[in-house]
Amino acid sequence: MKSADLFRLLALSAIWGASFLFMRIVVPELGALNTAFFRVLFGAAGLLLILAALRVKWRFEGKLRAAMLLGAINSGIPFVLYSLAAKVLPAGYSAILNATTPLMGVVIGALFFGDTLTGRKVAGVVLGLAGVAVLTRTGPVAFDTATVFGALACLLATSCYGLAGFLTKRWITDRGGLDSKLVAFGSQLGAVGLLLPFFAISTGMQGTPLHGSAGTWFALLALGFVCSALAYILFFRLIADIGPVKSLTVTFLIPLFGVLWGWLFLNEQLSWAYAVGGALIGAALLLVLKPATAKATSQDRIDSKPTSA
């Protein structure tokens, strides 16, 4: 791996790890729905600016609707779920639970897409669930109903990521592919379209959510422009340069940064449960993520989906 690719990999891990920190800052003041809506709105705006700066040609090749629907599944719903989890779970918890995305992909692939469920994959899923159990039962946050629902929200979000990966292959890759930057932009438009009616209803009932502090809005802007728009570009550039399987190593690094940022900026308590639960989930990922068998494509066309919040 080239030094530039390694730098992008570490930068992307740090950025996506920071997304859990920013949600912990924003959600208490603005609420889960508002946080998710403004995140995708700012993400779409950021991608629009990037596309304009790069002079990307607007050729969706009949796949705009598919990209928007993918965005509802891969961004709109998960961002709301992670925002709900941010009400009760530390940033480190959510970051570690986010790493179960490939495990959820294994289960969904076996149940709905005819993927072979090998013994190795089954062992990985079981080991990953053991890691989740260790984290939620013995971590620094009291094990109660709120913690369980927060963890379930994270797991449902990763299930959406896993589902979106298969749907991306079916709706985009198998139909000739599409420029990854256009897929990213279309997906954010779809997420905005999904959340806009709920945001409008909430605003009509509770008023415009402009009451947050300057720090809250700075975190929200970072969540949209950096953790969504810029992160998508970095991720798809990595896929083009080093391939989808090597790019998934970001899954291992996000929890480290998520725990680190929560400890540094939110004074979140560290616990051995982070290490044990994270190690079990990491071992599970090693079992599930097999080495690539095909050469990575050099074209910047989508063949994978992000595995993070």
Side-chain angles (χ1 to χ4, degrees), residues 41-57:
L41 182 65
F42 293 153
L47 283 166
L48 180 62
L49 293 175
I50 291 173
L51 292 179
L54 296 178
R55 298 182 179 179
V56 176
K57 295 182 179 180

Side-chain angles (χ1 to χ4, degrees), residues 82 97-106 157-162 251 285 305-308:
Y82 274 120
L97 291 171
N98 177 75
T100 62
T101 295
L103 307 182
M104 293 300 178
V106 167
T158 59
S159 298
C160 289
Y161 289 147
T251 306
L285 295 178
K305 288 297 290 180
T307 60
S308 121

Side-chain angles (χ1 to χ4, degrees), residues 60-209:
F60 283 93
E61 303 173 11
K63 303 181 184 72
L64 176 59
R65 182 178 299 178
M68 292 180 67
L69 184 54
L70 283 172
I73 298 170
N74 194 65
S75 295
I77 297 173
F79 289 174
V80 172
L81 290 169
Y82 274 120
S83 295
L84 289 171
K87 290 184 175 182
V88 295
L89 296 183
Y93 267 54
S94 296
I96 293 173
L97 291 171
N98 177 75
T100 62
T101 295
L103 307 182
M104 293 300 178
V106 167
V107 175
I108 290 172
L111 290 176
F112 304 108
F113 293 91
D115 271 15
T116 303
L117 194 60
T118 64
R120 184 178 181 180
K121 290 181 179 180
V122 171
V125 171
V126 172
L127 199 60
L129 292 176
V132 172
V134 168
L135 180 65
T136 54
R137 289 298 298 269
T138 61
V141 175
F143 181 72
D144 55 17
T145 303
T147 301
V148 171
F149 278 111
L152 287 176
C154 291
L155 294 178
L156 284 174
T158 59
S159 298
C160 289
Y161 289 147
L163 174 62
F166 287 97
L167 294 179
T168 298
K169 183 179 183 302
R170 176 173 294 182
W171 295 346
I172 302 294
T173 308
D174 291 348
R175 293 174 56 199
L178 184 66
D179 188 313
S180 60
K181 294 181 287 296
L182 291 177
V183 176
F185 177 65
S187 70
Q188 292 304 287
L189 284 182
V192 171
L194 172 69
L195 298 182
L196 180 59
F198 300 100
F199 173 77
I201 294 172
S202 175
T203 299
M205 297 175 59
Q206 303 177 12
T208 305

Side-chain angles (χ1 to χ4, degrees), residues 236 239-241 296-303:
F236 290 125
I239 289 176
D241 290 345
T297 179
S298 60
Q299 297 179 347
D300 185 21
R301 296 177 72 84
I302 186 167
D303 52 11

